[in-house]
Amino acid sequence: MDSSRSPPRTLGGGGGEEEVGIECGKWVELPEDVMASILKRVGAIGILTNVERVCKTWRNICKEPSMWRSIDMRNLGDIWDMDYDMVKICRHAVDRSSGALLHINIEYFGTDDLLLYIADRSTQLKSLRLVFCQNISDEGLIAAASKIPLLEELDLSYCSFSKVALENVGHCCPLLRSFKLNTTGYRYPCIECDEEALAVAESMPGLRHLQMFGNKLTNDGLQAILDACLYLESLDLRRCFNVILEGQMGRRCSERIKDLRQPNDSTDDYPFDSRFPHILWSDEEDYPCRFSDIDFMSDDDNYEFSFGSNFTEVYDEEDGWLF
């Protein structure tokens, strides 16, 4: 073996100096567009913390704005155990997009400041996904929505926003076609609330796809949605136990909606944990113990991300304390 050749470089930490049996040189022979397509699959976190450190060619590819039209900050929710700052990584990824960002997914670590930072620099944004982002307020969501009028897809799963905030989003984003507002579905206590359903009906008439997994809406809220959202094609009402799809309401939904998921339909394809929590009751409160009505829970080459969810406790009969 020629001793003058550089050692293999990889996707590992520490600047990418570990061996994995394939040299960077073999990869850089690929056409740039093919290499870019491969690197995109690693995700924003992997690219900024490891991939772009492997070699200069990859670094240059990773700095192209076209690499950052879609930013996926998917993680397991263990952000406090990570060796890097997710907010810094996300901001840097948004900077790399140079205003070309179209799709972004934020999980667990979203804040008002971060959301506004994204909105200020991504006026062409078409898809926004905020999951388990309890630190984003009504005011933060409203301020951001006013800056992204081209938004077509919005997912606010396991967040907590008021009717007013949702209405503002609908009015600010008239092109909205897909909306997900998922939460924990449970049978007891039997709490009925049509606030979110009415917000959808009053401000999102152009919806084609609506998912409200675990929502507390009743038939009245559903009626309002059907009356207002005339283009609705798919409707997911799984775990919406206050909805009774019988008689005229059942017929109307079956005739109007091409893809209808009913309250008791299978949750096998649902991306989150849909098991029923075992709720501990208190005689002194309207809500179960440990459970409330709030469901659930610069482009510098030397950019550093290191830094040195507060869920409601839920008890599961099989696995014990989940959160």
Side-chain angles (χ1 to χ4, degrees):
M1 180 176 176
D2 186 354
S3 60
S4 65
R5 296 179 62 184
S6 300
R9 311 189 75 184
T10 74
L11 306 187
E17 300 294 342
E18 304 168 73
E19 280 196 30
V20 291
I22 185 165
E23 299 178 15
C24 183
K26 296 184 181 298
W27 286 91
V28 297
E29 294 174 2
L30 291 173
E32 186 171 309
D33 59 335
V34 174
M35 194 68 252
S37 178
I38 294 173
L39 296 181
K40 284 179 183 178
R41 288 165 169 75
V42 178
I45 300 172
I47 289 175
L48 291 174
T49 60
N50 285 317
V51 170
E52 65 174 27
R53 303 180 184 183
V54 171
C55 63
K56 185 176 180 180
T57 299
W58 286 12
R59 171 73 175 168
N60 290 337
I61 292 175
C62 292
K63 290 174 70 174
E64 287 295 322
S66 60
M67 285 285 292
W68 303 98
R69 289 175 182 161
S70 180
I71 297 175
D72 187 354
M73 300 295 293
R74 194 180 307 271
N75 64 87
L76 299 176
D78 54 346
I79 57 175
W80 301 114
D81 295 327
M82 295 180 180
D83 295 327
Y84 37 80
D85 188 329
M86 293 290 282
V87 172
K88 284 186 178 180
I89 291 178
C90 187
R91 286 182 178 232
H92 196 50
V94 171
D95 291 341
R96 288 277 184 92
S97 73
S98 299
L101 181 62
L102 298 177
H103 314 278
I104 190 164
N105 173 37
I106 306 294
E107 299 184 4
Y108 295 99
F109 64 92
T111 64
D112 287 355
D113 288 344
L114 177 61
L115 186 57
L116 195 58
Y117 188 90
I118 295 168
D120 282 336
R121 293 158 179 79
S122 313
T123 56
Q124 304 300 309
L125 195 66
K126 292 186 176 181
S127 175
L128 173 63
R129 186 172 186 263
L130 304 173
V131 178
F132 294 107
C133 292
Q134 294 288 346
N135 290 326
I136 297 179
S137 68
D138 283 357
E139 294 77 15
L141 182 66
I142 292 171
S146 68
K147 298 174 182 291
I148 47 176
L150 300 183
L151 196 68
E152 297 178 4
E153 300 177 2
L154 178 62
D155 186 341
L156 300 178
S157 296
Y158 301 97
C159 299
S160 181
F161 298 111
S162 70
K163 178 177 185 287
V164 172
L166 297 179
E167 286 176 341
N168 272 272
V169 169
H171 293 312
C172 291
C173 306
L175 301 181
L176 205 59
R177 297 294 179 266
S178 175
F179 183 44
K180 295 182 179 182
L181 189 68
N182 302 320
T183 188
T184 307
Y186 55 96
R187 294 183 183 275
Y188 306 104
C190 183
I191 300 173
E192 299 181 350
C193 181
D194 285 317
E195 292 283 284
E196 294 164 337
L198 293 177
V200 170
E202 293 168 10
S203 67
M204 305 177 188
L207 286 181
R208 265 68 173 177
H209 311 284
L210 176 62
Q211 185 177 57
M212 300 185 75
F213 189 103
N215 199 271
K216 295 185 283 292
L217 83 163
T218 68
N219 278 29
D220 290 339
L222 177 57
Q223 181 76 49
I225 290 173
L226 294 176
D227 288 343
C229 303
L230 302 180
Y231 305 102
L232 206 58
E233 299 174 6
S234 68
L235 177 61
D236 191 342
L237 297 172
R238 285 177 294 176
R239 296 289 168 88
C240 296
F241 295 121
N242 295 327
V243 170
I244 310 299
L245 294 182
E246 297 177 352
Q248 184 177 354
M249 177 62 76
R251 288 193 298 273
R252 185 179 185 190
C253 286
S254 298
E255 294 170 358
R256 275 274 314 277
I257 309 300
K258 296 179 181 178
D259 181 12
L260 176 65
R261 309 298 293 273
Q262 302 195 33
N264 291 302
D265 282 355
S266 170
T267 60
D268 288 346
D269 62 344
Y270 187 63
F272 305 105
D273 187 352
S274 61
R275 291 174 296 177
F276 288 112
H278 178 72
I279 302 172
L280 306 182
W281 290 91
S282 166
D283 293 333
E284 300 178 356
E285 299 177 298
D286 293 331
Y287 301 109
C289 293
R290 302 187 182 277
F291 212 95
S292 76
D293 190 29
I294 300 177
D295 305 315
F296 242 65
M297 11 180 21
S298 105
D299 197 11
D300 185 340
D301 286 353
N302 296 316
Y303 203 95
E304 294 293 335
F305 304 109
S306 60
F307 72 141
S309 168
N310 181 25
F311 293 104
T312 303
E313 291 182 303
V314 179
Y315 185 82
D316 183 88
E317 291 177 324
E318 295 181 0
D319 298 338
W321 292 107
L322 299 180
F323 307 114

